């Protein structure tokens, strides 16, 4: 089965400023002593995407 998702303006760039820890957390690194690192990074990413589509 070949299915694809069409995302309007999907080739546009989004800029997000992350700390090194946040970038590592999004790539799969775990910070057991700071579990909020990944959720903070995810929140920043979602916020940047939302701003991109607010036009």
């Amino acid at each position: 089965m070949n299915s694809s998702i069409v995302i309007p303006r999907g080739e546009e760039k989004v800029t997000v400023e992350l700390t090194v820890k946040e970038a590592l957390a999004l790539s799969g690194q775990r910070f057991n002593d700071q579990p909020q690192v990944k959720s903070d990074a995810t929140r920043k990413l979602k916020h940047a995407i939302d701003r991109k589509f607010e036009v």
Side-chain angles (χ1 to χ4, degrees):
M1 176 176 248
N2 186 9
S3 63
S4 61
I5 298 174
V6 178
I7 300 173
R9 299 173 21 201
E11 298 299 320
E12 291 185 22
K13 304 285 186 205
V14 176
T15 303
V16 181
E17 189 169 328
L18 301 172
T19 65
V20 173
K21 281 185 177 182
E22 290 169 336
L24 287 169
L26 288 177
S27 69
Q29 179 68 40
R30 291 191 178 170
F31 293 93
N32 293 329
D33 58 331
Q34 297 175 324
Q36 79 283 359
V37 173
K38 185 175 182 181
S39 61
D40 290 346
T42 303
R43 182 178 35 78
K44 286 181 181 181
L45 187 58
K46 287 181 180 179
H47 183 70
I49 292 168
D50 287 344
R51 282 184 301 181
K52 189 69 166 181
F53 287 104
E54 281 182 349
V55 177

